[in-house]
Amino acid sequence: MKNKYLQSFLILLIAFHFGYAGNWSYQFSLEKKDTIRIKESLHEEDIEANEYLKDRLKPIQSNFKRINSITQWTNIKKKNIEGESAEGGEATYYYKNNRLEKIMARHYGEMGQVLIEYYLLNSKLSFVFEKDYKYNRPLFYDAKAMKENNDTEAFDFEKSEIVETRNYFEGGSLMHIVNSQDCGAPFSGDYMREEDKSIKDDFKRLLKLEKAK
């Protein structure tokens, strides 16, 4: 998982291009991000697996369905995530009978947001589902900004470009990736190893954050 959260440069570039960089846009985006949120998985089944991987992916997909169907959690903890995106983020930890089942990490920016769901099986990573939304315009770019810049579009969450990435782990190691924008060709061994390390590093940071006071 490449670092997709370093959007500060892009945000400033677009903000200055449209002439709307400043405290007003920052405050506006902070207020608006609370109402513009990617929906988390709930009562969902995973996409159909390739036939040759069907048996190996079945327990991972069953676990995904089981966890995202839970509506009554024993405990839910929330932590702020700082420094990984322009607007920060938040992590939510879901416990059932004192066992951590799922972590949900949200990363916010003026040009997009990312939701990453980590599902555990036997206390190990099983499935990581990433939803990456790239906005059509900056979060603060309303109808007034559109008119003043002779533009044809204002910010519209429904016009976001959406990329979904599904990462499947077997025995604690990444064994399969499905990306909504790829052509279906298998990923190289080097890429899989890089993604495995990146996802695990992010996961470890979230675990460390949960234990921090």
Side-chain angles (χ1 to χ4, degrees):
M1 185 180 301
K2 303 296 184 290
N3 190 344
K4 299 176 181 176
Y5 317 129
L6 298 178
Q7 300 178 29
S8 298
F9 176 75
L10 178 60
I11 292 164
L12 287 173
L13 197 64
I14 292 189
F16 279 114
H17 173 72
F18 289 125
Y20 270 80
N23 291 334
W24 176 82
S25 63
Y26 179 73
Q27 291 299 326
F28 182 84
S29 60
L30 282 179
E31 294 170 1
K32 198 164 184 177
K33 78 177 185 182
D34 291 332
T35 59
I36 305 296
R37 296 162 66 91
I38 301 172
K39 292 182 179 179
E40 63 183 281
S41 302
L42 185 62
H43 302 296
E44 289 185 28
E45 292 190 16
D46 194 24
I47 60 175
E48 188 173 346
N50 293 331
E51 191 63 33
Y52 76 101
L53 285 172
K54 202 167 187 177
D55 290 340
R56 294 175 67 185
L57 294 183
K58 187 175 180 179
I60 301 171
Q61 293 176 322
S62 296
N63 187 61
F64 167 68
K65 181 181 179 181
R66 176 187 68 82
I67 293 175
N68 79 58
S69 297
I70 298 173
T71 57
Q72 297 294 325
W73 294 96
T74 307
N75 192 18
I76 298 176
K77 297 181 181 179
K78 291 182 179 288
K79 294 279 188 174
N80 290 327
I81 299 174
E82 304 292 343
E84 292 194 7
S85 65
E87 308 296 341
E90 60 187 17
T92 308
Y93 304 80
Y94 296 87
Y95 291 84
K96 190 70 174 178
N97 299 325
N98 296 319
R99 174 183 291 184
L100 180 63
E101 297 271 12
K102 173 184 174 181
I103 300 175
M104 185 172 66
R106 293 182 182 273
H107 303 270
Y108 297 103
E110 288 185 4
M111 285 304 300
Q113 63 175 282
V114 180
L115 172 65
I116 310 175
E117 300 172 339
Y118 300 82
Y119 293 84
L120 284 75
L121 179 61
N122 299 324
S123 300
K124 291 184 179 180
L125 272 180
S126 171
F127 181 59
V128 178
F129 190 12
E130 179 176 339
K131 303 173 186 178
D132 188 351
Y133 280 52
K134 301 296 184 187
Y135 301 150
N136 67 316
R137 293 291 186 273
L139 186 61
F140 59 84
Y141 199 77
D142 58 12
K144 180 181 177 182
M146 177 186 72
K147 291 178 181 179
E148 290 181 355
N149 287 278
N150 295 318
D151 201 352
T152 58
E153 289 187 10
F155 168 79
D156 186 345
F157 186 71
E158 298 301 322
K159 292 183 179 180
S160 299
E161 177 187 352
I162 306 169
V163 179
E164 294 186 346
T165 306
R166 292 168 164 84
N167 303 277
Y168 302 86
F169 288 77
E170 185 178 57
S173 297
L174 183 62
M175 53 85 72
H176 185 55
I177 300 175
V178 176
N179 182 282
S180 60
Q181 286 193 330
D182 68 41
C183 60
F187 293 97
S188 69
D190 286 344
Y191 180 80
M192 293 288 288
R193 283 187 287 273
E194 289 176 3
E195 291 298 284
D196 180 81
K197 182 180 185 305
S198 180
I199 293 171
K200 287 178 179 176
D201 286 347
D202 289 341
F203 181 64
K204 288 176 183 177
R205 282 194 288 270
L206 288 169
L207 291 177
K208 184 177 180 180
L209 178 64
E210 191 274 337
K211 292 179 173 58
K213 295 183 179 180

